[in-house]
Amino acid sequence: GCNRAMDTRRPDRGWANAGELVSAVFLLDRRPFRIRNPQNRPAVERTDRALFGLVLLSRLVELVTISPNSDTLPNMCGIAGFVSIPPLSFPRGVLERMTGAIIHRGPDAEGFFLDDHAALGHRRLSIVDLAAGVQPMYNETGSHVIIYNGEVFNHAEVRPLLEKAGHKFASDHSDTETILHGYEEWGPEVLARFRGMFAFVVWDRKARRMFVARDRLGIKPFYYFWNGRVFAFASEIKALLEHPEVSAQFEPAVLSEY
């Protein structure tokens, strides 16, 4: 389904659905960081030993569950991948299995990106700008790469602002490219400019920084796993379970959280 979710109060442990996730930033270095959320609420600062994450939470409004065997289950895009603090030791096949587990979400195409620390995979259902909307998508210089599931309803209103600021678009109608250039221009503050339903990941190859976000109402799913070494994510839990670091083993110690 599109909106399966679980409430989690400990995002640094195990796997969970980011049903309340607005945005998160992960830096692969040892420097603390501080940013403000799009609503200019007081900033939240958090420092981990090697991976720094900021998660801004909002209330989960609605939970909708659709059976995987239901004839009404719609096609939609899907994303999956992982980032590792030490250089990646997992083969490309891991990423391919993760995206293969959600092939029903995007039957039209698949795409992959891998470097020394990040692996991004995408399953695509083509809706707009079929030729130019291939993912993962890169900016003009190749310094940023994005994978994305959803639709930004007002991307045509945001695009002229980016063009005026000097950003060069390769596509005519791709909201994916608008998100990518928007993040380049405004950073996390770009979320305040978008109206829509979305879950996306941007990887900054030079800074080795990953930014992930989802819409405020939790329409588009984003599940994630973090064990102190590897941050893995996917549109569905079944894709997470294809990663060798992720186990479905029951953890009695965290049962009370649910």
Side-chain angles (χ1 to χ4, degrees):
C2 295
N3 303 326
R4 295 192 189 100
M6 287 178 288
D7 178 25
T8 174
R9 291 176 292 276
R10 299 180 63 181
D12 59 335
R13 178 167 183 169
W15 56 261
N17 177 279
E20 296 185 341
L21 180 66
V22 172
S23 64
V25 177
F26 297 91
L27 294 175
L28 294 185
D29 58 30
R30 294 179 180 273
R31 296 170 298 173
F33 68 94
R34 187 178 181 89
I35 66 171
R36 286 188 174 274
N37 65 14
Q39 290 74 34
N40 290 320
R41 299 193 183 106
V44 179
E45 185 172 10
R46 173 182 172 187
T47 302
D48 290 323
R49 178 174 299 178
L51 180 70
F52 301 93
L54 172 68
V55 180
L56 308 175
L57 300 179
S58 64
R59 296 292 297 172
L60 177 62
V61 176
E62 184 178 7
L63 172 62
V64 178
T65 302
I66 302 176
S67 168
N69 299 319
S70 172
D71 292 334
T72 63
L73 184 65
N75 288 325
M76 69 293 284
C77 294
I79 60 176
F82 48 93
V83 61
S84 175
I85 295 174
L88 291 181
S89 59
F90 307 106
R92 177 188 175 98
V94 172
L95 182 61
E96 292 177 343
R97 288 195 299 273
M98 291 177 71
T99 56
I102 53 174
I103 189 173
H104 58 281
R105 300 185 66 90
D108 294 335
E110 65 180 2
F112 306 100
F113 165 84
L114 296 97
D115 67 9
D116 291 342
H117 289 276
L120 310 179
H122 185 263
R123 294 295 321 189
R124 186 182 184 210
L125 173 69
S126 299
I127 299 176
V128 296
D129 210 345
L130 307 188
V134 175
Q135 298 185 45
M137 181 180 288
Y138 303 83
N139 66 339
E140 310 98 311
T141 64
S143 63
H144 291 71
V145 57
I146 185 174
I147 52 176
Y148 157 62
N149 168 35
E151 183 178 359
V152 174
F153 306 136
N154 66 325
H155 73 94
E157 301 170 13
V158 177
R159 176 174 172 143
L161 302 176
L162 295 167
E163 291 175 326
K164 186 176 180 179
H167 292 270
K168 305 298 183 183
F169 283 75
S171 66
D172 293 328
H173 306 291
S174 174
D175 54 348
T176 309
E177 195 172 15
T178 300
I179 296 173
L180 180 57
H181 288 301
Y183 176 73
E184 284 186 273
E185 182 69 20
W186 299 301
E189 302 296 327
V190 71
L191 297 178
R193 297 177 180 266
F194 291 150
R195 299 195 311 271
M197 51 183 183
F198 52 81
F200 67 84
V201 175
V202 176
W203 173 242
D204 184 335
R205 302 170 69 181
K206 293 182 179 179
R208 293 194 301 174
R209 177 186 293 113
M210 175 172 284
F211 179 80
V212 305
R214 68 170 293 167
D215 61 87
R216 295 160 184 79
L217 298 184
I219 298 173
K220 289 299 179 180
F222 188 93
Y223 293 86
Y224 68 91
F225 165 90
W226 162 237
N227 65 359
R229 300 182 307 276
V230 174
F231 176 81
F233 60 88
S235 296
E236 297 185 22
I237 292 176
K238 65 174 70 175
L240 278 182
L241 293 175
E242 294 295 332
H243 195 287
E245 291 284 326
V246 182
S247 171
Q249 182 178 357
F250 177 63
E251 293 188 54
V254 297
L255 179 60
S256 62
E257 297 182 11
Y258 298 97

